[in-house]
Amino acid sequence: MAEAERIIGTPDTPDAAGGGKERPDAEGTPAGEPGTGPAAGAGTSGTGEPEATAGRPRGRRRIAVLFAVAAFAYALDLISKLIVVAKLEHHPPIEIIGDWLKFEAIRNAGAAFGFGEAFTVIFTMIAAAVIVVIARLARKLYSLPWAIALGLLLGGALGNLTDRIFRAPGVFEGAVVDFIAPKHFAVFNLADSAIVCGGVLIVLLSFRGLDPDGTVHKD
């Protein structure tokens, strides 16, 4: 959790952001250019308000995007699992693209894609920790792409954590409902897909030098 705070954390004041980074303004223009960003000479926004005050609505919008994406991913995962349990469990698999892609209901006590079934409680604790860290640090989020990426992670973690808590064989030991079964690959669900997509997006953003607080590395 400390490492996650180091990555996503950002100073509450613009001056503390340090050298080597630029923070884009609402239109993506790096801070420090004439008339834009928190480093503008007058120290005020275009409306005459202090830059710190003008930056708060943009931060709140990013938080709204994060939780909207998380809610969408969570709802999609939850609804799909309810349908699978009601219509597909204890029934033959449904072929979507011949043998290459099927819908097959499977209960998975392990991590994503069926790995580590002996560590169900540990995976439950990890998912809960991820949710807590993202929710705690969301107030310091100023990047829209990072908001989308973290929203996918949060929604996916919530989806599988719900199964861990409420499904058999017991609380924190519940088996996750998986149903997407590609040929020669592990069976997974929409929550796993959201987590993978969020993780890939975070890797791409890191390679581009974009931090969660909206600053961009020059190197």
Side-chain angles (χ1 to χ4, degrees), residues 114-151:
F115 298 111
E117 294 188 4
F119 304 98
T120 305
V121 175
I122 295 177
F123 292 134
T124 303
M125 295 173 62
I126 292 174
V130 169
I131 293 170
V132 171
V133 169
I134 293 175
R136 177 184 174 188
L137 301 176
R139 64 185 180 87
K140 294 185 177 183
L141 184 65
Y142 286 89
S143 168
L144 180 59
W146 271 93
I148 295 173
L150 293 177

Side-chain angles (χ1 to χ4, degrees), residues 169-188:
V171 177
F172 301 124
E173 297 181 350
V176 173
V177 175
D178 290 334
F179 63 94
I180 304 174
K183 188 176 182 180
H184 305 311
F185 196 72
V187 184
F188 59 97

